[in-house]
Amino acid sequence: SGNSQPATWEWQNPLPTGNPLDDIHVFDANTAVIVGQAGTIMKTIDGGITWSQKESGTSVWLHSVDFADNNLGWAVGENGTILITTDGGTTWSSQISNTTDTFYDVCFIDGLTGWVVGSGGMKNTIDGGLNWNYMPSGPGGYTCHFIDSNNGWAGSSGVIYRTTNGGLTWTWAMFYNSVSNVINSIYFI
């Protein structure tokens, strides 16, 4: 036809995206960030009525997202991917993890102290992600949650671990008879 405007395509169904989504961080009744397959990061500021796609700079599967406050957050995924945002999830940049392990979860207690857990074990940072170091006895697995700089939990196949010294040592907190019982999420309020 005679229209000189280029065609604009808009995703129709399913909403907000066709990519599988793995994790969400909810800030308040209106604002949330979700992450998922193919480097998907999306944000809503109207309670989920509309979602805007954010540029992640990666095409890997992102498995987890966590924020230390309303601006500072991290997303993690396959191939050792660790992303950071300082503007509430609008823009993202990479942090160096020095591994190709898959990270399944990220948890921060403040803007400096955080952990990632995945296929090769657990790493932590005490400088906001500038440096990530393997925890010598840190369990590999799928989830982690810390309530302060000392007390945390991690879950893997059939086992929940607990630390009371920031991840330096871990003990079994719970054991299931079958390793097929994958612990996908741990959270304490």
Side-chain angles (χ1 to χ4, degrees):
S1 72
N3 186 352
S4 63
Q5 297 286 331
T8 302
W9 291 89
E10 184 177 317
W11 188 271
Q12 293 294 309
N13 188 48
L15 291 176
T17 178
N19 292 330
L21 302 171
D22 269 18
D23 199 18
I24 185 168
H25 182 88
V26 177
F27 298 92
D28 55 43
N30 291 314
T31 311
V33 172
I34 55 177
V35 298
Q37 189 179 40
T40 298
I41 300 177
M42 301 183 88
K43 183 175 181 177
T44 183
I45 57 172
D46 59 11
I49 296 169
T50 60
W51 292 85
S52 58
Q53 181 81 36
K54 303 303 176 186
E55 181 58 46
S56 68
T58 184
S59 61
V60 304
W61 198 315
L62 298 172
H63 293 291
S64 181
V65 61
D66 192 33
F67 281 77
D69 58 36
N70 286 339
N71 292 307
L72 187 58
W74 291 263
V76 299
E78 297 185 359
N79 297 328
T81 300
I82 301 176
L83 304 177
I84 186 171
T85 180
T86 58
D87 58 10
T90 301
T91 59
W92 295 83
S93 59
S94 293
Q95 290 190 319
I96 297 171
S97 70
N98 290 318
T99 187
T100 58
D101 292 340
T102 295
F103 295 128
Y104 294 107
D105 202 6
V106 57
C107 46
F108 271 80
I109 59 162
D110 57 39
L112 297 174
T113 308
W115 296 262
V116 293
V117 64
S119 60
M122 180 175 277
K123 285 188 160 203
N124 82 314
T125 182
I126 56 171
D127 58 13
L130 296 176
N131 295 286
W132 290 92
N133 300 299
Y134 273 108
M135 306 294 296
S137 65
Y142 301 101
T143 185
C144 62
H145 182 74
F146 281 76
I147 58 171
D148 58 38
S149 62
N150 289 315
N151 295 288
W153 293 262
S156 64
S157 297
V159 181
I160 297 174
Y161 300 92
R162 182 164 192 250
T163 184
T164 57
N165 57 14
L168 296 176
T169 59
W170 295 84
T171 58
W172 283 13
M174 183 179 289
F175 176 73
Y176 292 100
N177 290 333
S178 170
V179 295
S180 64
N181 292 323
V182 174
I183 311 297
N184 284 317
S185 183
I186 295 175
Y187 188 81
F188 287 85
I189 57 173

